[in-house]
Amino acid sequence: MSTNGDALELRARIDFARGGYRLRMDCQSHGAQRIGNIGSSGAGKSTLRPDDGELRSGTELWYARGFRCVPPERRDVGYVFQDARVFPHMSVAQNLAYGRQRGPGSTSGDPDTWSERVRELLGLSDLLSARGDALSGGQQKRVAIARALLPRPRLILCDEAEAGLDASSRAGLSGLLKDAVVGGAVVVRVSHDLADLLAWSDRLLFCHAGELVFAGLPGDLARSEPAAALLRSSLDSAAAGPWLPLRIGAKLWLRTERLHWLPRRAVADTSGTGLAGSFAQMIPARVQANDAEWLELELDSDTGNTPVTLRVPLSAVPGGSAWSTGDELWCAVPADALVQSH
Amino acid sequence: MFAPLSAFEWEALLLSLDVSWRALLLIIAPAIGLAYLCARCRFPGRGLLRAVLLMPLVMPPVVLGYTLLVIFAPAGGDGAVLGIPVAFHRNGAALAAGVAGFPLLFRSAHSAFEMVDARYIEAARSLGASPWHVFRSIVLPLSLPGILGGLLLAAGRSFGEFGATISFVASIPGETQTLPLAIYTLLQQPGGETDALRLAIISLIISLGTLWAGEALARRVAKRGPGEESTV
């Protein structure tokens, strides 16, 4: 296994068919430490893992069919499974200790401080003596996350780890992943939450029907066909998540029946321009500027007056958020509040 | 009828317990090991191996005993295997009882191993456990109630073994004449019915007691809290 310092370089090459389903992917981490993996259900996100196809860590072959390679217990991978898989016959403490047998992990940091922090952020201190099969679904998920992170592995695979977690545990998880990345670990997150992954990843993978349709910087996702087309269609069907990334200059329509989130003053401003009358329909608008707190929209009035600019605080949009990818700043609001134009 | 046990009865009873205990010791490791192999590993001839191992369940016990005789005590031999006396010896009785009970333990352990969710095994491997450690810490504890059930059935079968024993090691008082063989011998003697009935009742009580104790044990194992092996 490669030692501390240089970032873990991963390469996964998959080509297999099972029951009429074919999966073909070839991707590399290219030095990225936060890899997001998105796609609709059944797209092949979870299969992109060390058990299928071929996985290399640097020059070391971790897995390849028909080859003698590193067995799973020596791969230094922390796997948070989609289903928690907490051992039912053991206590929480024993479940957490189970991952320790591999010995101290290879990322930096003090193991005792780390285990203290993991238990605290995931709220496990009171659960230590409970039996695995006596835990609720959310508790099991927390135990599974802690169990995978405690050995401080170099590669952390989170398969929809945040599903079923309460808000404070989610925050705890993202804090722990941040620490792991700082410590030198590579984190691969599988999720349906596009806005979250766009904001978090430094490399994004987009799977569709067993193929990798996009792999690159998150900011390039919308520019890449067919990823963008698939993204639009999945956003339209609202299956993948109700989010729209709003880049500067993006044209969109304000859906008037959802405008109740607009601040009162903004509505008053527009009513002075004759826009109020057209509120029954959708108003064309363009993103003028955005920052971490504000979304500035220029509304095209249909009365021929000068365009009206709206500054909408993202805090006024339920679920609205902003993030930066490299030099660009992005905003996202729920897709049912705004509709992106072509 | 209600007199204390005679020396003859004590002898048959203790011999039976001794033989079935040895029989269990003989089969426990191979039955569990082979069950694990057949349940969780893929290899050519797996189905055939399973069928061969289950054979004693469907074979006539007399044929089983005769087969053992041919294999372990062929004519002209000294009736010993690796220096251990087998033919017409209580070791032979234990072997016959063990072979008869083997498929019951094998079958229960096999189903118990198959029932263990493979996802736990995958999780354990990903956490750094070697295959042997996974077996000890995950597979065995999760399938323990099933294995105990099989052990119980095998014990009962070994305790009651008759056909294979009588054809392999005959019915020698104090050496191979276990409880069922003693009952059979008594039934062959004029006026032996009362003594046979006493032994039959003893045998029933032991069977019932074993089943009841086994049930209670399995319940305890299933309900048992986390072991005290290790903590964080």
Side-chain angles (χ1 to χ4, degrees):
Chain A
M1 213 148 295
S2 50
T3 47
N4 257 336
D6 54 329
L8 181 68
E9 183 60 31
L10 294 167
R11 181 184 181 135
R13 194 158 50 194
I14 297 170
D15 188 351
F16 83 108
R18 194 179 289 161
Y21 180 75
R22 190 178 172 94
L23 195 65
R24 278 160 64 107
M25 288 178 194
D26 187 354
C27 51
Q28 247 175 300
S29 63
H30 288 292
Q33 277 188 280
R34 289 170 302 182
I35 302 171
N37 183 350
I38 194 151
S40 50
S41 304
K45 303 187 295 300
S46 304
T47 321
L48 203 51
R49 64 182 201 197
D51 305 60
D52 291 297
E54 179 192 307
L55 190 94
R56 280 174 190 283
S57 158
T59 53
E60 194 176 50
L61 185 63
W62 275 3
Y63 180 85
R65 205 175 291 273
F67 280 90
R68 207 182 147 73
C69 37
V70 183
E73 66 266 23
R74 300 220 323 264
R75 278 183 206 159
D76 206 7
V77 178
Y79 201 141
V80 182
F81 295 91
Q82 207 168 344
D83 44 350
R85 308 190 189 182
V86 170
F87 304 132
H89 59 297
M90 295 184 191
S91 68
V92 169
Q94 286 171 324
N95 264 283
L96 296 183
Y98 204 87
R100 286 276 185 88
Q101 54 201 309
R102 197 165 45 207
S106 47
T107 56
S108 61
D110 174 50
D112 290 334
T113 323
W114 176 240
S115 80
E116 190 89 341
R117 193 167 152 70
V118 168
R119 272 185 281 169
E120 187 194 312
L121 283 183
L122 293 170
L124 293 175
S125 301
D126 299 336
L127 289 176
L128 291 176
S129 57
R131 232 177 97 111
D133 54 7
L135 301 177
S136 75
Q139 289 172 327
Q140 291 201 9
K141 204 68 189 256
R142 273 147 57 196
V143 173
I145 293 168
R147 191 177 64 178
L149 296 185
L150 273 175
R152 298 182 305 134
R154 286 215 85 192
L155 173 61
I156 298 170
L157 302 174
C158 289
D159 196 350
E160 296 179 35
E162 55 285 307
L165 287 187
D166 55 54
S168 75
S169 305
R170 263 172 205 249
L173 171 64
S174 76
L176 291 172
L177 291 182
K178 203 169 161 182
D179 291 354
V181 167
V182 170
V186 171
V187 181
V188 180
R189 275 181 61 199
V190 170
S191 173
H192 288 290
D193 192 340
L194 176 63
D196 187 17
L197 281 192
L198 279 171
W200 175 84
S201 319
D202 48 19
R203 187 168 171 81
L204 194 67
L205 308 175
F206 184 28
C207 305
H208 180 75
E211 300 248 3
L212 191 65
V213 290
F214 173 79
L217 295 174
D220 294 335
L221 178 67
R223 274 199 284 274
S224 138
E225 295 289 340
L230 286 166
L231 201 59
R232 271 198 299 277
S233 68
S234 60
L235 285 171
D236 284 348
S237 65
W243 288 91
L244 273 184
L246 301 176
R247 299 156 69 91
I248 295 168
K251 287 184 181 167
L252 49 92
W253 298 82
L254 292 180
R255 191 177 272 172
T256 53
E257 70 272 22
R258 301 284 300 179
L259 280 180
H260 56 81
W261 50 262
L262 286 175
R264 201 175 297 237
R265 209 174 65 78
V267 178
D269 283 355
T270 56
S271 61
T273 65
L275 270 174
S278 62
F279 264 30
Q281 289 128 30
M282 302 219 282
I283 309 170
R286 204 160 60 88
V287 179
Q288 278 288 82
N290 56 28
D291 71 20
E293 282 158 17
W294 291 85
L295 174 66
E296 203 170 282
L297 298 172
E298 190 188 78
L299 305 186
D300 292 341
S301 97
D302 55 357
T303 54
N305 292 348
T306 46
V308 175
T309 303
L310 278 184
R311 261 168 83 82
V312 184
L314 282 169
S315 58
V317 186
S321 66
W323 65 89
S324 81
T325 58
D327 310 331
E328 284 179 300
L329 200 74
W330 288 47
C331 291
V333 297
D336 59 353
L338 299 172
V339 178
Q340 197 163 29
S341 78
H342 303 297
Chain B
M1 179 75 196
F2 297 104
L5 293 183
S6 68
F8 171 78
E9 289 164 336
W10 269 118
E11 195 178 59
L13 176 62
L14 293 177
L15 179 68
S16 272
L17 292 174
D18 184 46
V19 163
S20 34
W21 174 241
R22 286 174 193 224
L24 284 188
L25 276 186
L26 192 68
I27 63 168
I28 188 161
I32 291 175
L34 285 164
Y36 185 71
L37 191 75
C38 288
R40 300 232 73 108
C41 306
R42 299 192 167 274
F43 54 89
R46 185 169 69 147
L48 183 67
L49 177 64
R50 233 183 331 225
V52 169
L53 294 174
L54 287 173
M55 280 268 281
L57 205 57
V58 288
M59 260 165 106
V62 177
V63 178
L64 183 64
Y66 181 65
T67 313
L68 290 174
L69 193 65
V70 171
I71 297 172
F72 291 103
D78 59 355
V81 177
L82 303 170
I84 302 165
V86 172
F88 308 111
H89 191 275
R90 69 174 64 190
N91 288 339
L95 179 63
V99 171
F102 179 92
L104 292 165
L105 176 55
F106 172 79
R107 231 174 109 91
S108 301
H110 188 280
S111 328
F113 288 142
E114 262 185 339
M115 296 268 281
V116 174
D117 198 330
R119 295 172 309 163
Y120 290 131
I121 298 173
E122 192 188 9
R125 292 296 298 277
S126 84
L127 287 164
S130 65
W132 169 239
H133 188 70
V134 171
F135 176 75
R136 262 178 39 219
S137 60
I138 308 289
V139 180
L140 205 55
L142 287 178
S143 40
L144 206 53
I147 292 175
L148 280 180
L151 211 53
L152 206 65
L153 290 176
R157 178 74 180 82
S158 302
F159 186 76
E161 218 307 304
F162 177 79
T165 311
I166 203 163
S167 42
F168 181 33
V169 290
S171 176
I172 305 163
E175 193 58 45
T176 64
Q177 195 176 72
T178 56
L179 210 57
L181 270 66
I183 295 172
Y184 177 74
T185 311
L186 286 172
L187 284 175
Q188 302 300 305
Q189 293 167 0
E193 283 89 352
T194 317
D195 290 340
L197 183 63
R198 278 165 59 96
L199 283 182
I201 290 170
I202 292 170
S203 153
L204 280 176
I205 290 170
I206 290 178
S207 308
L208 194 68
T210 317
L211 278 176
W212 178 77
E215 281 279 326
L217 187 67
R219 257 201 314 275
R220 262 192 70 180
V221 166
K223 269 197 209 154
R224 192 181 54 173
E228 49 289 316
E229 236 179 70
S230 58
T231 47
V232 173

